[in-house]
């Protein structure tokens, strides 16, 4: 299994440009998450999905959009990039059937984004 | 509201000496607690998690954590540090209850430095 994969690894955007960060998992996980990590901080949740076709906002969703058309893929769309979106973005996935809250999240290697 | 506080932003140890990374939590009920490790330019990896089955939790790479309800602590320990342990460590609490969706709240992280 490749686990959770993310592309690209690094990207520089100009202010106002748009881009899509790709995330895929091959573990048949139902839950998928997008986080951002700012320097010296923990991760903050942007969006999450409980299954194909179902997404919801996290703590910091402004300026982002997501979709989940398949179990495997969960792309994150940035519209009109702003310097405040300079960050490292992590995708994660987990599997839950009975919802104990103690499931393990598996993280991708991250995408480093610089908006200038 | 549930939260975690990591008491040290940096911890420096010598190779072969014990490691102690401190985490206090606040919760009105039995929390779902995790320790994740992040090596430089990598994604996060689960070290261990508290499942309420035992207060002493064993994780990967020789790490342990003890859940102490009376002290509201979940400190991470390792008897003997290795150079490869140098990384950022996050104490994490899931603030969502009884659901497969996890709303993870991250501590601010502790950077572990290991010297030869």
């Amino acid at each position: 299994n490749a686990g959770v994969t993310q592309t690209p690894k690094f990207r520089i955007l100009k202010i106002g440009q748009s881009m899509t960060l790709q995330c895929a998992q091959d573990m048949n996980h139902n839950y998928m998450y997008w986080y951002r990590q700012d320097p010296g901080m923990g991760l903050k949740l942007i969006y999450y999905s409980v299954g194909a076709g179902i997404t919801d906002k996290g703590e910091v969703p402004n300026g982002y959009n997501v979709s989940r058309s398949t179990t495997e893929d969960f792309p994150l769309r940035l519209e009109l990039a702003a310097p405040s979106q300079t960050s490292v973005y992590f995708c994660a996935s987990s599997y839950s059937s009975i919802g104990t809250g103690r499931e393990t999240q598996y993280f991708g290697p991250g995408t480093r984004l610089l908006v200038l | 509201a549930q939260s975690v506080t990591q008491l040290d932003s940096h911890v420096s140890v010598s190779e072969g000496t014990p490691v102690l990374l401190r985490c206090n939590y606040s919760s009105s009920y039995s929390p779902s607690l995790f320790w994740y490790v992040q090596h430089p330019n990598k994604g996060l990896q689960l070290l261990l998690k508290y499942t309420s089955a035992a207060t002493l939790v064993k994780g990967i790479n020789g790490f342990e954590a003890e859940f102490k309800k009376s002290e509201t602590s979940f400190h991470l320990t390792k008897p003997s540090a290795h150079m490869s342990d140098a990384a950022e460590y996050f104490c994490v609490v899931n603030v969502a209850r009884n659901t497969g969706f996890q709303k993870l709240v991250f501590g601010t992280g502790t950077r572990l430095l290991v010297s030869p």
Side-chain angles (χ1 to χ4, degrees):
Chain A
N1 286 353
V4 180
T5 57
Q6 292 183 239
T7 56
K9 291 184 179 177
F10 177 66
R11 181 80 181 267
I12 298 175
L13 279 184
K14 294 182 179 179
I15 294 172
Q17 286 185 321
S18 300
M19 78 165 292
T20 299
L21 283 66
Q22 301 292 344
C23 173
Q25 52 91 7
D26 61 358
M27 298 174 283
N28 201 30
H29 286 174
N30 46 356
Y31 288 84
M32 295 188 75
Y33 303 82
W34 272 108
Y35 296 90
R36 60 177 287 171
Q37 183 181 29
D38 298 325
M41 304 292 289
L43 279 64
K44 292 189 176 180
L45 182 64
I46 305 172
Y47 270 96
Y48 69 96
S49 169
V50 303
I54 306 171
T55 64
D56 206 348
K57 296 177 181 178
E59 187 181 0
V60 289
N62 291 344
Y64 307 94
N65 277 300
V66 294
S67 60
R68 190 157 176 214
S69 56
T70 66
T71 299
E72 295 77 20
D73 301 297
F74 190 41
L76 177 71
R77 178 83 177 161
L78 277 72
E79 306 282 1
L80 299 175
S84 61
Q85 293 179 305
T86 293
S87 190
V88 182
Y89 293 83
F90 290 99
C91 179
S93 71
S94 67
Y95 178 77
S96 176
S97 59
I98 59 174
T100 66
R102 296 185 169 120
E103 293 80 5
T104 298
Q105 285 195 24
Y106 295 84
F107 286 80
T111 293
R112 188 173 298 271
L113 177 66
L114 180 59
V115 182
L116 299 174
Chain B
Q2 292 198 85
S3 66
V4 289
T5 302
Q6 292 184 245
L7 301 171
D8 306 291
S9 59
H10 293 81
V11 169
S12 294
V13 300
S14 298
E15 192 174 21
T17 64
V19 175
L20 170 64
L21 305 183
R22 298 182 295 165
C23 174
N24 285 352
Y25 69 90
S26 68
S27 175
S28 55
Y29 49 85
S30 182
S32 298
L33 290 164
F34 308 80
W35 275 100
Y36 278 87
V37 61
Q38 184 179 29
H39 290 279
N41 300 314
K42 295 289 180 65
L44 280 75
Q45 181 184 20
L46 180 71
L47 274 179
L48 50 81
K49 58 183 173 182
Y50 172 63
T51 63
S52 74
T55 56
L56 182 62
V57 183
K58 294 186 183 297
I60 62 172
N61 300 333
F63 283 95
E64 294 182 346
E66 186 170 7
F67 176 76
K68 290 187 176 181
K69 186 175 181 180
S70 60
E71 299 177 9
T72 61
S73 68
F74 191 55
H75 300 335
L76 183 70
T77 61
K78 183 173 180 178
S80 177
H82 192 272
M83 295 296 291
S84 61
D85 295 327
E88 187 91 17
Y89 292 79
F90 291 98
C91 184
V92 183
V93 64
N94 176 22
V95 300
R97 294 187 69 186
N98 300 323
T99 168
F101 162 64
Q102 292 177 302
K103 188 178 190 313
L104 299 184
V105 174
F106 287 75
T108 51
T110 297
R111 183 169 298 276
L112 177 64
L113 305 170
V114 183
S115 56

